[in-house]
Amino acid sequence: MAKIDETKPFRPLRIAVLTVSDTRRPEDDRSGNTLADRLTTAGHHLAARAICTDDRALIAARLRTWVEDPAIDVILSTGGTGLTGRDVTVEAHRDVYE
């Protein structure tokens, strides 16, 4: 397994966190809070954060906006991957892939 090369300087990244859910709100978004807390504890910057409903067009639009934003280096997403017909996160990500 590859190891972290400790001789290289740490470079903090600007990371956006997207939670996809029809039921989560900022006050109860545990997975989004965990991601935000861990990335900032690790020395990175929380560049943006949003909660988006399980709507393919809305998810893809948010991703496209963040992809085009030069102030965002990385996008992490959580949620929206259940087994119901409303869970379209994977499809929305595919819409944005190059």
Side-chain angles (χ1 to χ4, degrees):
M1 180 185 291
K3 295 183 180 181
I4 294 175
D5 184 348
E6 299 289 344
T7 64
K8 299 204 182 244
F10 174 77
R11 294 183 187 199
L13 298 171
R14 299 164 299 193
I15 303 173
V17 175
L18 176 63
T19 299
V20 178
S21 176
D22 285 334
T23 60
R24 294 291 175 233
R25 303 290 170 254
E27 56 275 3
D28 66 356
D29 179 18
R30 292 183 307 173
S31 60
N33 290 337
T34 297
L35 288 171
D37 291 344
R38 289 188 179 180
L39 72 89
T40 55
T41 298
H44 300 289
H45 305 287
L46 182 61
R49 184 161 174 200
I51 298 174
C52 191
T53 59
D54 287 297
D55 180 291
R56 186 173 179 167
L58 291 176
I59 298 165
R62 170 63 63 192
L63 291 171
R64 284 188 183 99
T65 298
W66 284 351
V67 165
E68 294 172 2
D69 187 339
I72 296 175
D73 300 313
V74 176
I75 301 169
L76 300 178
S77 77
T78 182
T81 57
L83 299 174
T84 72
R86 294 267 314 141
D87 297 316
V88 292
T89 303
V90 173
E91 293 81 1
H93 277 76
R94 284 188 189 133
D95 292 345
V96 179
Y97 291 164
E98 292 182 4

